[in-house]
Amino acid sequence: MAVKNLKRKRSRLSQVFAGILVNSVYEMENYPIVLLNTVVSPLSILLVIVFVSRGSLFGVAIEGGFIMAMFSAGMGLSTDLSHLKNDFKLQDMIVSSPTSWLTYMIGISFSEIVYAIPALLVLTILASFGLSLTLAEVLEFVAVLLLIFITSISIGYTLSTFSSDIVQSFAFTRLISTIFSTIPPVYYPITYIPLPFRYLAYLSPTTYAAELVQGISGYLALSLTTVIIDWTVLVAVTIALFVLAKTKARWREV
Amino acid sequence: MDSVSFTLPTQGVFVLIGRNGSGKTTLVRILATNLEATAGTATLNGIDVMSEPDQIRERIAIVPQEARPIPWMTPLQSVLSYLLWRGLGYAEAKQKACEMLDRLKFGKKARALNRTLSGGMKRKVLMAMILCTEAKVIFLDEPTTGLDPISRREFWEVLQEIRKDRFVVLTTHYMEEAEQLADTIGVLEEGRLIALGTLDELRRRLRYNYSVKLLSIPAPPITLTEGEMVKGRHDLPVILTTEDEAFRIAQNLSRERIKFTINPVGLEDIFFYMHSGGDTGGS
């Protein structure tokens, strides 16, 4: 039988938009309470740090809040994708459609950013009081946040494709979030950690991100070598985890 | 799956039946590019499922087993978003979604949250999602499991719509559903395709054309001059035999006031016969 080329022109933008609608807009529209979740998590630790340091770490804590908000948004992808895949079988429907894994992942990733908007707004308002940055520093800051986000969505996506149920996914997500964004010196300068333990902190990519943003805002005096090392590690980890997601994640199951 | 090999015209409805774990879902998931096969080949309209999944995905859609619409969305939002995922523009997707939900008589329920809908309506949402697409091959994995008889009948009506211009691969545990809908039936057992054909072809391969089902256990002693006794639904005895022999047995059972039914052989009889090790001449 002759095969006709039935390939029609498809809008990648629509496919990305579908992910945003399903995973954030419709959910927020019908369950507005979810908006509070994204604000509470980064703000809770921020408040503790500010109170304990009597305000001296206000700026660092805001920067930590941003990093945690972006990292949590990316890790949220893991539980959301796992939920959509295992409980509704949506991923199977999408696999058997013209949407690629990358488009699906980008759509759901954007939805996580939409989800994080309330937290990011609150943090931006706080930052206008606690941080003083030039435009170039703001761009540098955003670049760091973007790398952290790509790192976490790569981890989140890979984990979700291996998860067989939502409880398992939640357990992994909480563990990774705690290891990468609560324990490392994200909300306070790395110099607060005693030396032998400081090396352990450098096992987390969020430490490099936090060190960079703390350097940008002047809370840490970083040498040029440290800045270069931090950027190199952060970019390398981001690329490595993205490649891992591309090659090891199970879009089509085996 | 083990050495499953068949060729079918991609039109009408192909129903796969078999016990739990017989490989129905695995076969459907392989064909729908959800699952990678460890060996073998499969082509759909000449396109290799293994090596050209992206080409296949342009023209297929699936409702997986245990799929359900997302509870925080409405039927309209569900259909619209699925069409967006298939790459349609927003305006076109919304128009198509509205038309389809009208056609399936959703009425005001089109804008109600999915979690408030009945089981039957939820399945209808999933059907609306794929019915709206341009997919020419539709995979439905046990779409009516758990539905009440009326909802199931409504689903059959929707399926009659789909089959008009598409090829449907459907798995089910309901024999009457397979009889009602199938153009071709495949019977799977432990990963092997043990029979394939139309209902009439499967009937012809059985040596007997009548079944007498006893409605109580244990079966009374019955002397068969021709035919075989197999275990049917709820382990009740079923005698598969010729028409003359069936009526002779029926007379005897009536005299002894034993309850029974007598019918021409149906798919359920064929199914139980095959699973009891009966010979149908291979596939």
Side-chain angles (χ1 to χ4, degrees):
Chain A
M1 182 178 166
V3 182
K4 283 184 209 161
N5 187 6
L6 294 174
K7 196 160 182 162
R8 60 172 284 169
K9 206 177 166 204
R10 298 184 193 278
S11 164
R12 290 277 172 266
L13 205 61
S14 290
Q15 292 172 331
V16 169
F17 188 47
I20 299 171
L21 283 179
V22 170
N23 200 48
S24 56
V25 177
Y26 291 150
E27 195 175 345
M28 288 171 168
E29 193 181 307
N30 294 315
Y31 303 148
I33 188 77
V34 298
L35 288 167
L36 281 177
N37 291 347
T38 62
V39 182
V40 169
S41 170
L43 284 188
S44 54
I45 301 177
L46 185 151
L47 287 175
V48 171
I49 296 291
V50 169
F51 291 145
V52 169
S53 70
R54 295 177 192 273
S56 67
L57 292 178
F58 182 51
V60 177
I62 292 168
E63 290 167 345
F66 271 110
I67 291 173
M68 188 173 178
M70 293 308 277
F71 192 82
S72 302
M75 288 311 296
L77 181 94
S78 174
T79 45
D80 286 348
L81 284 182
S82 174
H83 191 36
L84 295 174
K85 174 186 149 199
N86 297 311
D87 298 338
F88 308 117
K89 307 291 173 195
L90 181 73
Q91 190 169 308
D92 281 354
M93 293 182 79
I94 304 300
V95 170
S96 298
S97 83
T99 305
S100 69
W101 72 272
L102 187 60
T103 313
Y104 182 62
M105 188 177 96
I106 290 172
I108 303 291
S109 301
F110 274 119
S111 79
E112 302 297 347
I113 291 187
V114 172
Y115 236 128
I117 284 175
L120 295 176
L121 269 178
V122 173
L123 287 166
T124 306
I125 292 166
L126 291 175
S128 67
F129 295 107
L131 293 172
S132 170
L133 302 174
T134 64
L135 182 63
E137 287 167 342
V138 169
L139 290 176
E140 216 176 325
F141 189 68
V142 170
V144 172
L145 293 181
L146 200 63
L147 287 174
I148 276 298
F149 183 62
I150 296 171
T151 298
S152 63
I153 59 168
S154 300
I155 300 171
Y157 173 71
T158 309
L159 280 180
S160 77
T161 63
F162 284 92
S163 84
S164 54
D165 63 74
I166 189 72
V167 177
Q168 185 193 42
S169 183
F170 260 125
F172 274 113
T173 305
R174 279 184 189 162
L175 183 70
I176 290 170
S177 291
T178 308
I179 290 172
F180 284 159
S181 61
T182 312
I183 298 174
V186 169
Y187 282 91
Y188 53 91
I190 192 162
T191 46
Y192 280 43
I193 303 179
L195 242 188
F197 298 105
R198 210 178 287 177
Y199 298 115
L200 281 177
Y202 281 113
L203 292 174
S204 167
T206 47
T207 301
Y208 299 90
E211 199 168 70
L212 279 170
V213 295
Q214 287 162 14
I216 291 166
S217 58
Y219 276 93
L220 278 180
L222 301 177
S223 67
L224 183 64
T225 315
T226 309
V227 172
I228 290 170
I229 290 172
D230 283 353
W231 275 110
T232 308
V233 171
L234 201 54
V235 169
V237 167
T238 306
I239 291 171
L241 288 170
F242 185 79
V243 170
L244 187 79
K246 188 177 187 302
T247 53
K248 296 291 175 197
R250 289 181 189 162
W251 181 239
R252 184 188 202 182
E253 287 183 31
V254 286
Chain B
M1 306 303 308
D2 180 14
S3 308
V4 171
S5 178
F6 64 94
T7 306
L8 279 178
T10 45
Q11 59 193 41
V13 179
F14 173 43
V15 176
L16 276 167
I17 57 173
R19 298 179 62 185
N20 291 328
S22 60
K24 301 185 296 294
T25 297
T26 304
L27 181 56
V28 163
R29 295 193 76 218
I30 288 171
L31 294 174
T33 75
N34 272 192
L35 185 67
E36 210 159 314
T38 48
T41 57
T43 60
L44 258 174
N45 287 346
I47 306 167
D48 194 321
V49 172
M50 315 298 169
S51 61
E52 298 174 282
D54 292 344
Q55 285 277 325
I56 293 283
R57 287 166 184 158
E58 290 283 329
R59 58 207 79 190
I60 62 169
I62 185 173
V63 176
Q65 198 181 122
E66 294 171 7
R68 56 194 180 100
I70 295 170
W72 62 79
M73 287 163 63
T74 67
L76 178 60
Q77 290 169 344
S78 304
V79 180
L80 168 65
S81 56
Y82 185 61
L83 289 177
L84 291 175
W85 257 313
R86 292 197 73 97
L88 273 66
Y90 187 86
E92 186 189 0
K94 189 161 187 185
Q95 190 193 341
K96 278 195 167 197
C98 289
E99 283 171 7
M100 180 51 64
L101 293 169
D102 278 349
R103 211 165 115 201
L104 296 179
K105 301 185 180 71
F106 269 80
K108 284 181 183 169
K109 300 240 175 196
R111 290 170 194 279
L113 287 182
N114 288 328
R115 67 179 161 86
T116 64
L117 302 177
S118 66
M121 286 297 278
K122 284 177 185 164
R123 297 290 167 94
K124 221 164 152 181
V125 174
L126 296 170
M127 297 303 289
M129 286 162 73
I130 56 163
L131 201 56
C132 248
T133 69
E134 77 296 4
K136 289 290 171 199
V137 181
I138 307 283
F139 297 95
L140 303 171
D141 195 2
E142 294 185 21
T144 57
T145 300
L147 290 189
D148 66 69
I150 293 166
S151 300
R152 199 178 307 157
R153 206 160 283 276
E154 284 172 2
F155 166 82
W156 293 354
E157 283 166 21
V158 177
L159 198 72
Q160 300 298 355
E161 278 280 317
I162 300 178
R163 73 186 301 167
K164 283 179 189 164
D165 55 351
R166 304 168 204 232
F167 176 51
V168 179
V169 179
L170 180 141
T171 73
T172 184
H173 283 296
Y174 302 110
M175 298 300 146
E176 76 275 22
E177 185 165 283
E179 284 183 352
Q180 190 82 28
L181 301 170
D183 293 297
T184 314
I185 298 164
V187 185
L188 281 167
E189 188 181 71
E190 292 177 359
R192 290 175 304 113
L193 189 68
I194 58 169
L196 179 73
T198 63
L199 181 58
D200 281 343
E201 284 168 351
L202 295 182
R203 272 192 184 126
R204 276 199 296 273
R205 282 169 43 180
L206 198 69
R207 280 185 291 158
Y208 314 108
N209 55 1
Y210 262 77
S211 78
V212 181
K213 292 185 181 72
L214 279 78
L215 303 179
S216 60
I217 304 176
I222 296 169
T223 313
L224 290 173
T225 55
E226 199 174 1
E228 290 177 43
M229 190 181 284
V230 295
K231 270 186 186 174
R233 198 184 287 194
H234 308 307
D235 281 347
L236 290 169
V238 177
I239 301 158
L240 300 172
T241 184
T242 59
E243 186 175 351
D244 289 346
E245 178 71 354
F247 280 97
R248 189 190 64 77
I249 294 166
Q251 278 178 343
N252 290 343
L253 292 171
S254 296
R255 266 199 298 275
E256 291 174 37
R257 297 188 178 279
I258 294 169
K259 287 184 179 166
F260 65 94
T261 63
I262 179 167
N263 291 99
V265 160
L267 186 59
E268 185 168 297
D269 301 313
I270 300 169
F271 184 73
F272 282 122
Y273 182 68
M274 285 176 178
H275 283 285
S276 68
D279 179 25
T280 56
S283 60

